[in-house]
Amino acid sequence: MGFEVDVADISNAAAKLGEGKPPTLSAEGSPNVGSTARAGSFAGDYDVWLATRKDDLDAAQQQVESLVESIQTAAKSYHGTDSEARDAFLKALDSSFERIDR
Amino acid sequence: MSVFDKIYALADQVEKGSTTELDDRARACRGTKEMLKDTKALLESVRVQLSEGWHGGAGEAALNSLDAFKKNRDDQAQDLEESAKSFETIRDALAKARQDARSKRADAQDLQKKLDHGWHGFGIRQVDLAVAWAQDKAVKAQALVLLADLERVTTTYDAILLIEGQKLRFRTGQVWELAGSEKRNLAEIGAIMLREIPGLAALVAKNPELRNALLHGEWDKLMQNPEVAQKIYDYLGFKYNKEGDFYTTGEHSMQSYMGWRDLYDKLGRVLGMKLDETGTDGDNMEFTDPQTGKTYRLELWKGKYGNQAFGGEVGFYTSDSPNNNGHFNAAQGDDQIKVTQTIYNKENGEVYYTNDGQGADGTDKKHFWNLAIRTDPDVNPEQLGQRATIEVRDVEMRDRMYNEMTRYAAAHPDDHLTVTKGSDHPPTLSYDWQK
């Protein structure tokens, strides 16, 4: 009985995580750093930086989505009447979380 | 160009820069940092709830994973803080350079006035000429000193741009190391691959030609080496099927692969993948179960996987509702399909190989993805045809899939896709794709 409540709480916390606003970066194209000899190369450095940060934030969001989905899938298949259910639920989370990139 | 023109042009180079824009970038970094803190707090609340239900044994790995995910957010936040500091360092350097440039410009303007004045009224007496000449030389010498000073200002500023620019460029992703790989230079990707792909470094160290190819991003050349190709396919989660001589993929390795979707897409491009695929114009093969609202998507691929390999894929995805903004998950449970995929030469009919569901868990051969790639550089991807038989769980689903595939085929005549219904027990359909 106690663990059923835990599953519901975990599931609710996951739902809140899923509803959280995905972090985004509002920075736009390369800032105007003037037109000295190095300015052009700096714009290239900046482009790499921006693309990397945006991709990494996307990857982080994918991580969150996989996490939320793993919990919700495990919660859906949880049957409180089964005496092994608690372990099965936790094991399902163990294995599915490990497959999420970090 | 006179020395004064040079001074003004140099001053322009820094005066036109915008400290406000650099400030904006720093502020954007800090804004994202705050959002990351929020996500971290939400992850922490999941961890707390999970730890309440955990009493040793199972669940430990999940808690460790959550700690790792939280650390990812800290790393990203730290990274953004350092990026913000780089922008501020450049902002301060620019402000200083602009101030110096303005002052040098003002000095230069004064000198220029002096110079004009010195020659004013010249031509009456010999002595005037001598004085004017001497003044001219003195002023021009001072202008040269100003120019040298200004050059030092811009060189110093450029040095800051170089240092901070490199710091920004060399930040890799914190969750995904190859983030930004489309923009990164090829040698950087090579270095990351060497670090990430087990055994690749040892292989490359033995062969200077391979090392050279890696540093220059000559992926085709790399993939022509069967040992390298094997390592990269292993890394992407592919398994070799010795019997059929093709690579396929397991269900669970693909769970991790799904998280690497972008990596696969990006590496795919650098590795020279050139594939025909359905849905490229935004019109995908999708159908909805009217009872449950569950929506299904079928995707097909075929073509060239690097210079060394060819093959095809059949993927089946689901979404709980039709309003999914294109977000689908790999089909699970009884939504999975049993696919027998054959890759053949559409010009002479030669069958290269057939994957009858290898890679699926257990013995049911049901999977969300039937993939089959063979390494053989001599096959022309233009000649590839793909045909398959798909078995689904019931006749209703088969009929909906058939109707959707038929609709898609009619809407895309250039795809040369023909679909036929098979038996009802088990419910199957077949298609032949000769794009």
Side-chain angles (χ1 to χ4, degrees), chain B residues 194 197 199-215 222 225 227-228 231:
Chain B
L194 277 180
I197 302 182
L200 185 62
L203 206 60
V204 169
K206 277 192 292 183
N207 186 334
E209 241 183 66
L210 281 181
R211 180 159 50 194
N212 216 22
L214 186 70
L215 288 177
L222 275 173
N225 180 303
E227 281 180 288
V228 171
K231 291 213 179 296

PDB file of all heavy atoms in Angstrom, chain B residues 194 197 199-215 222 225 227-228 231:
ATOM      1  N   LEU B 194      37.931  10.017 -31.454  1.00  0.00           N
ATOM      2  CA  LEU B 194      39.052   9.211 -30.953  1.00  0.00           C
ATOM      3  C   LEU B 194      38.890   8.935 -29.462  1.00  0.00           C
ATOM      4  O   LEU B 194      39.180   7.855 -28.981  1.00  0.00           O
ATOM      5  CB  LEU B 194      40.370   9.949 -31.160  1.00  0.00           C
ATOM      6  CG  LEU B 194      41.004   9.823 -32.533  1.00  0.00           C
ATOM      7  CD1 LEU B 194      42.303  10.597 -32.582  1.00  0.00           C
ATOM      8  CD2 LEU B 194      41.277   8.359 -32.867  1.00  0.00           C
ATOM      9  N   ILE B 197      35.151   6.703 -29.073  1.00  0.00           N
ATOM     10  CA  ILE B 197      34.886   5.379 -29.645  1.00  0.00           C
ATOM     11  C   ILE B 197      35.967   4.415 -29.192  1.00  0.00           C
ATOM     12  O   ILE B 197      37.138   4.580 -29.544  1.00  0.00           O
ATOM     13  CB  ILE B 197      34.791   5.455 -31.187  1.00  0.00           C
ATOM     14  CG1 ILE B 197      33.700   6.438 -31.571  1.00  0.00           C
ATOM     15  CG2 ILE B 197      34.534   4.075 -31.771  1.00  0.00           C
ATOM     16  CD1 ILE B 197      33.452   6.590 -33.046  1.00  0.00           C
ATOM     17  N   GLY B 199      38.706   1.808 -28.761  1.00  0.00           N
ATOM     18  CA  GLY B 199      39.555   1.057 -29.684  1.00  0.00           C
ATOM     19  C   GLY B 199      39.926   1.807 -30.956  1.00  0.00           C
ATOM     20  O   GLY B 199      40.837   1.406 -31.679  1.00  0.00           O
ATOM     21  N   LEU B 200      39.225   2.903 -31.234  1.00  0.00           N
ATOM     22  CA  LEU B 200      39.510   3.618 -32.492  1.00  0.00           C
ATOM     23  C   LEU B 200      40.902   4.251 -32.446  1.00  0.00           C
ATOM     24  O   LEU B 200      41.644   4.216 -33.430  1.00  0.00           O
ATOM     25  CB  LEU B 200      38.431   4.681 -32.747  1.00  0.00           C
ATOM     26  CG  LEU B 200      38.520   5.414 -34.073  1.00  0.00           C
ATOM     27  CD1 LEU B 200      38.371   4.454 -35.245  1.00  0.00           C
ATOM     28  CD2 LEU B 200      37.446   6.498 -34.198  1.00  0.00           C
ATOM     29  N   ALA B 201      41.240   4.791 -31.270  1.00  0.00           N
ATOM     30  CA  ALA B 201      42.547   5.463 -31.156  1.00  0.00           C
ATOM     31  C   ALA B 201      43.687   4.489 -31.446  1.00  0.00           C
ATOM     32  O   ALA B 201      44.619   4.806 -32.191  1.00  0.00           O
ATOM     33  CB  ALA B 201      42.701   6.063 -29.761  1.00  0.00           C
ATOM     34  N   ALA B 202      43.580   3.271 -30.873  1.00  0.00           N
ATOM     35  CA  ALA B 202      44.636   2.277 -31.070  1.00  0.00           C
ATOM     36  C   ALA B 202      44.742   1.904 -32.544  1.00  0.00           C
ATOM     37  O   ALA B 202      45.841   1.778 -33.100  1.00  0.00           O
ATOM     38  CB  ALA B 202      44.332   1.042 -30.234  1.00  0.00           C
ATOM     39  N   LEU B 203      43.598   1.793 -33.164  1.00  0.00           N
ATOM     40  CA  LEU B 203      43.552   1.416 -34.585  1.00  0.00           C
ATOM     41  C   LEU B 203      44.192   2.495 -35.454  1.00  0.00           C
ATOM     42  O   LEU B 203      44.981   2.210 -36.366  1.00  0.00           O
ATOM     43  CB  LEU B 203      42.073   1.260 -34.954  1.00  0.00           C
ATOM     44  CG  LEU B 203      41.697   0.361 -36.088  1.00  0.00           C
ATOM     45  CD1 LEU B 203      42.168  -1.048 -35.804  1.00  0.00           C
ATOM     46  CD2 LEU B 203      40.173   0.359 -36.238  1.00  0.00           C
ATOM     47  N   VAL B 204      43.848   3.726 -35.141  1.00  0.00           N
ATOM     48  CA  VAL B 204      44.336   4.854 -35.926  1.00  0.00           C
ATOM     49  C   VAL B 204      45.834   5.061 -35.684  1.00  0.00           C
ATOM     50  O   VAL B 204      46.585   5.402 -36.597  1.00  0.00           O
ATOM     51  CB  VAL B 204      43.515   6.121 -35.587  1.00  0.00           C
ATOM     52  CG1 VAL B 204      44.151   7.366 -36.157  1.00  0.00           C
ATOM     53  CG2 VAL B 204      42.099   5.969 -36.123  1.00  0.00           C
ATOM     54  N   ALA B 205      46.275   4.807 -34.420  1.00  0.00           N
ATOM     55  CA  ALA B 205      47.693   5.008 -34.095  1.00  0.00           C
ATOM     56  C   ALA B 205      48.582   4.080 -34.924  1.00  0.00           C
ATOM     57  O   ALA B 205      49.692   4.437 -35.301  1.00  0.00           O
ATOM     58  CB  ALA B 205      47.916   4.760 -32.603  1.00  0.00           C
ATOM     59  N   LYS B 206      48.060   2.898 -35.224  1.00  0.00           N
ATOM     60  CA  LYS B 206      48.839   1.927 -36.001  1.00  0.00           C
ATOM     61  C   LYS B 206      48.969   2.328 -37.457  1.00  0.00           C
ATOM     62  O   LYS B 206      49.825   1.833 -38.167  1.00  0.00           O
ATOM     63  CB  LYS B 206      48.139   0.547 -35.957  1.00  0.00           C
ATOM     64  CG  LYS B 206      48.484  -0.247 -34.705  1.00  0.00           C
ATOM     65  CD  LYS B 206      48.007  -1.687 -34.846  1.00  0.00           C
ATOM     66  CE  LYS B 206      46.496  -1.770 -34.856  1.00  0.00           C
ATOM     67  NZ  LYS B 206      45.941  -3.096 -34.909  1.00  0.00           N
ATOM     68  N   ASN B 207      48.064   3.180 -37.899  1.00  0.00           N
ATOM     69  CA  ASN B 207      47.999   3.463 -39.326  1.00  0.00           C
ATOM     70  C   ASN B 207      48.009   4.982 -39.598  1.00  0.00           C
ATOM     71  O   ASN B 207      46.984   5.651 -39.457  1.00  0.00           O
ATOM     72  CB  ASN B 207      46.705   2.823 -39.862  1.00  0.00           C
ATOM     73  CG  ASN B 207      46.605   2.929 -41.361  1.00  0.00           C
ATOM     74  OD1 ASN B 207      47.171   3.835 -41.970  1.00  0.00           O
ATOM     75  ND2 ASN B 207      45.871   2.015 -41.949  1.00  0.00           N
ATOM     76  N   PRO B 208      49.174   5.513 -39.990  1.00  0.00           N
ATOM     77  CA  PRO B 208      49.273   6.971 -40.179  1.00  0.00           C
ATOM     78  C   PRO B 208      48.293   7.501 -41.227  1.00  0.00           C
ATOM     79  O   PRO B 208      47.818   8.627 -41.114  1.00  0.00           O
ATOM     80  CB  PRO B 208      50.711   7.180 -40.656  1.00  0.00           C
ATOM     81  CG  PRO B 208      51.415   5.882 -40.488  1.00  0.00           C
ATOM     82  CD  PRO B 208      50.415   4.803 -40.305  1.00  0.00           C
ATOM     83  N   GLU B 209      47.995   6.663 -42.202  1.00  0.00           N
ATOM     84  CA  GLU B 209      47.059   7.110 -43.246  1.00  0.00           C
ATOM     85  C   GLU B 209      45.667   7.364 -42.663  1.00  0.00           C
ATOM     86  O   GLU B 209      44.985   8.328 -43.008  1.00  0.00           O
ATOM     87  CB  GLU B 209      46.936   6.026 -44.314  1.00  0.00           C
ATOM     88  CG  GLU B 209      47.380   6.514 -45.674  1.00  0.00           C
ATOM     89  CD  GLU B 209      47.161   5.440 -46.712  1.00  0.00           C
ATOM     90  OE1 GLU B 209      46.001   5.097 -46.983  1.00  0.00           O
ATOM     91  OE2 GLU B 209      48.177   4.941 -47.226  1.00  0.00           O
ATOM     92  N   LEU B 210      45.285   6.484 -41.745  1.00  0.00           N
ATOM     93  CA  LEU B 210      43.982   6.641 -41.088  1.00  0.00           C
ATOM     94  C   LEU B 210      43.962   7.887 -40.217  1.00  0.00           C
ATOM     95  O   LEU B 210      42.979   8.621 -40.178  1.00  0.00           O
ATOM     96  CB  LEU B 210      43.678   5.430 -40.200  1.00  0.00           C
ATOM     97  CG  LEU B 210      43.186   4.169 -40.884  1.00  0.00           C
ATOM     98  CD1 LEU B 210      42.923   3.086 -39.850  1.00  0.00           C
ATOM     99  CD2 LEU B 210      41.919   4.431 -41.681  1.00  0.00           C
ATOM    100  N   ARG B 211      45.080   8.103 -39.531  1.00  0.00           N
ATOM    101  CA  ARG B 211      45.147   9.277 -38.670  1.00  0.00           C
ATOM    102  C   ARG B 211      44.982  10.553 -39.496  1.00  0.00           C
ATOM    103  O   ARG B 211      44.245  11.461 -39.151  1.00  0.00           O
ATOM    104  CB  ARG B 211      46.462   9.301 -37.899  1.00  0.00           C
ATOM    105  CG  ARG B 211      46.534  10.539 -36.996  1.00  0.00           C
ATOM    106  CD  ARG B 211      47.491  10.434 -35.873  1.00  0.00           C
ATOM    107  NE  ARG B 211      48.810   9.995 -36.311  1.00  0.00           N
ATOM    108  CZ  ARG B 211      49.743   9.575 -35.487  1.00  0.00           C
ATOM    109  NH1 ARG B 211      49.493   9.502 -34.207  1.00  0.00           N
ATOM    110  NH2 ARG B 211      50.922   9.223 -35.936  1.00  0.00           N
ATOM    111  N   ASN B 212      45.677  10.550 -40.606  1.00  0.00           N
ATOM    112  CA  ASN B 212      45.595  11.688 -41.499  1.00  0.00           C
ATOM    113  C   ASN B 212      44.158  11.895 -41.987  1.00  0.00           C
ATOM    114  O   ASN B 212      43.645  13.016 -42.004  1.00  0.00           O
ATOM    115  CB  ASN B 212      46.522  11.412 -42.695  1.00  0.00           C
ATOM    116  CG  ASN B 212      47.171  12.679 -43.152  1.00  0.00           C
ATOM    117  OD1 ASN B 212      47.260  13.641 -42.388  1.00  0.00           O
ATOM    118  ND2 ASN B 212      47.613  12.703 -44.389  1.00  0.00           N
ATOM    119  N   ALA B 213      43.533  10.787 -42.337  1.00  0.00           N
ATOM    120  CA  ALA B 213      42.157  10.859 -42.834  1.00  0.00           C
ATOM    121  C   ALA B 213      41.228  11.404 -41.740  1.00  0.00           C
ATOM    122  O   ALA B 213      40.348  12.218 -42.005  1.00  0.00           O
ATOM    123  CB  ALA B 213      41.692   9.475 -43.277  1.00  0.00           C
ATOM    124  N   LEU B 214      41.464  10.974 -40.511  1.00  0.00           N
ATOM    125  CA  LEU B 214      40.613  11.413 -39.400  1.00  0.00           C
ATOM    126  C   LEU B 214      40.783  12.907 -39.151  1.00  0.00           C
ATOM    127  O   LEU B 214      39.818  13.648 -38.994  1.00  0.00           O
ATOM    128  CB  LEU B 214      40.963  10.623 -38.135  1.00  0.00           C
ATOM    129  CG  LEU B 214      40.059  10.863 -36.936  1.00  0.00           C
ATOM    130  CD1 LEU B 214      38.678  10.268 -37.176  1.00  0.00           C
ATOM    131  CD2 LEU B 214      40.647  10.253 -35.680  1.00  0.00           C
ATOM    132  N   LEU B 215      42.046  13.343 -39.145  1.00  0.00           N
ATOM    133  CA  LEU B 215      42.312  14.760 -38.865  1.00  0.00           C
ATOM    134  C   LEU B 215      41.767  15.653 -39.960  1.00  0.00           C
ATOM    135  O   LEU B 215      41.423  16.797 -39.723  1.00  0.00           O
ATOM    136  CB  LEU B 215      43.813  14.993 -38.686  1.00  0.00           C
ATOM    137  CG  LEU B 215      44.361  14.417 -37.380  1.00  0.00           C
ATOM    138  CD1 LEU B 215      45.863  14.611 -37.279  1.00  0.00           C
ATOM    139  CD2 LEU B 215      43.682  15.053 -36.167  1.00  0.00           C
ATOM    140  N   LEU B 222      38.039   6.784 -44.203  1.00  0.00           N
ATOM    141  CA  LEU B 222      38.020   6.059 -42.926  1.00  0.00           C
ATOM    142  C   LEU B 222      37.090   4.854 -42.985  1.00  0.00           C
ATOM    143  O   LEU B 222      37.430   3.768 -42.534  1.00  0.00           O
ATOM    144  CB  LEU B 222      37.507   6.983 -41.814  1.00  0.00           C
ATOM    145  CG  LEU B 222      38.512   7.877 -41.138  1.00  0.00           C
ATOM    146  CD1 LEU B 222      37.785   8.818 -40.200  1.00  0.00           C
ATOM    147  CD2 LEU B 222      39.527   7.061 -40.350  1.00  0.00           C
ATOM    148  N   ASN B 225      37.979   1.476 -44.374  1.00  0.00           N
ATOM    149  CA  ASN B 225      38.716   0.514 -43.560  1.00  0.00           C
ATOM    150  C   ASN B 225      37.685  -0.298 -42.760  1.00  0.00           C
ATOM    151  O   ASN B 225      36.976   0.246 -41.926  1.00  0.00           O
ATOM    152  CB  ASN B 225      39.658   1.272 -42.612  1.00  0.00           C
ATOM    153  CG  ASN B 225      40.455   0.326 -41.746  1.00  0.00           C
ATOM    154  OD1 ASN B 225      39.883  -0.490 -41.031  1.00  0.00           O
ATOM    155  ND2 ASN B 225      41.760   0.429 -41.813  1.00  0.00           N
ATOM    156  N   GLU B 227      37.800  -2.322 -40.334  1.00  0.00           N
ATOM    157  CA  GLU B 227      37.900  -2.330 -38.868  1.00  0.00           C
ATOM    158  C   GLU B 227      37.327  -1.037 -38.275  1.00  0.00           C
ATOM    159  O   GLU B 227      36.663  -1.055 -37.245  1.00  0.00           O
ATOM    160  CB  GLU B 227      39.358  -2.483 -38.432  1.00  0.00           C
ATOM    161  CG  GLU B 227      39.871  -3.898 -38.514  1.00  0.00           C
ATOM    162  CD  GLU B 227      41.319  -3.971 -38.058  1.00  0.00           C
ATOM    163  OE1 GLU B 227      42.205  -3.497 -38.808  1.00  0.00           O
ATOM    164  OE2 GLU B 227      41.548  -4.465 -36.960  1.00  0.00           O
ATOM    165  N   VAL B 228      37.607   0.076 -38.960  1.00  0.00           N
ATOM    166  CA  VAL B 228      37.078   1.365 -38.484  1.00  0.00           C
ATOM    167  C   VAL B 228      35.562   1.373 -38.635  1.00  0.00           C
ATOM    168  O   VAL B 228      34.830   1.750 -37.707  1.00  0.00           O
ATOM    169  CB  VAL B 228      37.707   2.544 -39.272  1.00  0.00           C
ATOM    170  CG1 VAL B 228      37.003   3.841 -38.930  1.00  0.00           C
ATOM    171  CG2 VAL B 228      39.191   2.650 -38.959  1.00  0.00           C
ATOM    172  N   LYS B 231      33.952  -0.447 -35.894  1.00  0.00           N
ATOM    173  CA  LYS B 231      33.948   0.252 -34.603  1.00  0.00           C
ATOM    174  C   LYS B 231      32.883   1.339 -34.574  1.00  0.00           C
ATOM    175  O   LYS B 231      32.225   1.555 -33.564  1.00  0.00           O
ATOM    176  CB  LYS B 231      35.326   0.863 -34.310  1.00  0.00           C
ATOM    177  CG  LYS B 231      36.357  -0.200 -34.037  1.00  0.00           C
ATOM    178  CD  LYS B 231      37.403   0.246 -33.044  1.00  0.00           C
ATOM    179  CE  LYS B 231      38.389  -0.864 -32.778  1.00  0.00           C
ATOM    180  NZ  LYS B 231      37.763  -2.035 -32.141  1.00  0.00           N
TER     181      LYS B 231
END
